[in-house]
Amino acid sequence: MILIYVNIVRNHFKKVDRVIYKSMKDLDFDEWIKPRKEKGGVDYFRALCREIIGQQLSGKAANAIYKRFLSLFNKGKVDAKKLVKTEDQTLRNLGMSWAKAKYVKNIAEAYLTKSVNFDNLHNLPDQEIINELVKIKGVGYWTSEMFLVFTLGRENVFSHGDLGLKKGFIKLYKIEDPTKEVIEKVVEKWSPYKSYGSITLWHSLDSP
């Protein structure tokens, strides 16, 4: 991120939420959200497969399985046609669960049949993107929200279904077992930069 823009984001939080501002002062957002060029549908298809593979796994485990997944394809470029024809057992042997094996094939099928228009996703508002992606069996709200943040670089996303965000919220705000309504009352002030608040909460879990 350009430094001037980072300062705009931080100054926003300085005005609306001093708790999160103190935690984000030294955070390098470029480690989380990379500068994005416009991508095509195939890039989004691959990214969504990666999101599914990484669900409920540590970063190290997810990366190892995804690396093995890429080895199935020529030059590591995920091919939807080949993926659809790949046996579930082959995917299971990579370390994926049976469910994830089916889900990535569902994504490939949606890409090939254009039941979801991956080429146009970046032109849609956040909620419309979620509505499109959850048509695919195995892709839920959480996966769609992670896709918005880490693939499309959308800046105003907070996932109430993310356990890590709730843990980070409890840690920073010292509120035991907060309800969705309590969290939302705080988070709504972050708009239009909720994603940066989310990243700060995740980061706080790795900080003293």
Side-chain angles (χ1 to χ4, degrees), residues 2-79:
I2 300 173
L3 181 58
I4 294 176
Y5 187 73
V6 171
N7 289 335
I8 290 173
V9 173
R10 288 180 177 149
N11 285 336
H12 170 75
F13 281 91
K14 187 176 182 180
K15 293 175 183 177
V16 303
D17 191 331
R18 299 284 295 188
V19 172
I20 206 79
Y21 168 71
K22 290 178 181 178
S23 294
M24 69 163 45
K25 284 198 297 184
D26 299 318
L27 178 55
D28 182 3
F29 287 109
D30 285 345
E31 294 183 7
W32 293 81
I33 297 181
K34 306 298 183 184
R36 279 165 174 74
K37 298 178 181 178
E38 186 171 309
K39 297 181 178 181
V42 67
D43 296 298
Y44 299 148
F45 150 64
R46 293 167 182 162
L48 196 59
C49 286
R50 182 162 191 161
E51 292 290 355
I52 288 292
I53 291 170
Q55 282 181 1
Q56 300 178 325
L57 296 175
S58 68
K60 184 177 180 180
N63 288 336
I65 294 172
Y66 187 66
K67 187 175 181 179
R68 292 195 289 270
F69 176 69
L70 292 180
S71 71
L72 295 176
F73 307 97
N74 184 37
K75 297 181 180 179
K77 295 183 178 180
V78 184
D79 183 287

Side-chain angles (χ1 to χ4, degrees), residues 121-133:
L121 286 178
H122 59 277
N123 291 320
L124 301 177
D126 293 352
Q127 187 57 53
E128 288 187 28
I129 293 170
I130 292 173
N131 293 344
E132 283 293 301
L133 294 181

Side-chain angles (χ1 to χ4, degrees), residues 52 86-106:
I52 288 292
T86 301
E87 295 291 336
D88 288 1
Q89 182 65 60
T90 300
L91 298 173
R92 182 74 181 90
N93 292 344
L94 303 177
M96 297 169 61
S97 66
W98 290 111
K100 287 182 180 180
K102 293 184 182 301
Y103 295 162
V104 293
K105 292 173 74 172
N106 290 344

